[in-house]
Amino acid sequence: MPTGDELVEVLATLANPHRLRVVAALARERNYVSRLARELGISRALLQVHLRKLQAAGLVSAQMELSEDGKAMKFYEVTPFSIQLTPEAVTAAVLTLTTPEIVQRGGGEESPI
């Protein structure tokens, strides 16, 4: 079960349609930036930004390989993950948040965690 901070990072990372498309494409097959950018119809620069965010959240990984012509290529692939998002999982994750957030309590009062 992810900590509150990990859950926030993963959900924030996946809250972008481009990054969802990247994860879906890499779930089908690992790929390198130029080909993946063509397949997704976005620039390599924009794809690199999204890949860095996905990698920072632990959702994709990269590995450098040499092509047949000796060119170094970075291949990306999905890192297997599973998140069960239930009210109970959210409640448990909230208890481990390290950043002070305001939580609405049942009686309408707000209290820092």
Side-chain angles (χ1 to χ4, degrees), residues 94-95 97 99-113:
V94 164
L95 298 175
L97 286 170
T99 55
E101 300 290 337
I102 302 297
V103 175
Q104 189 77 25
R105 293 199 175 170
E109 68 184 46
E110 292 183 352
S111 153
I113 297 178

Side-chain angles (χ1 to χ4, degrees), residues 8-11 15 17 20 33 36 38 41 47-50 55 61 71 76 78 80 93 96 99-100 104 108 112:
V8 167
E9 183 177 12
V10 167
L11 293 177
L20 284 178
V33 173
L36 185 57
R38 283 192 303 272
L47 178 58
Q48 289 280 13
V49 169
H50 291 304
Q55 201 169 9
S61 60
K71 182 180 174 185
Y76 289 87
V78 170
T96 66
T99 55
Q104 189 77 25

Side-chain angles (χ1 to χ4, degrees), residues 79-99:
T79 302
F81 64 91
S82 175
I83 298 171
Q84 187 173 6
L85 198 55
T86 64
E88 295 78 19
V90 170
T91 300
V94 164
L95 298 175
T96 66
L97 286 170
T98 60
T99 55

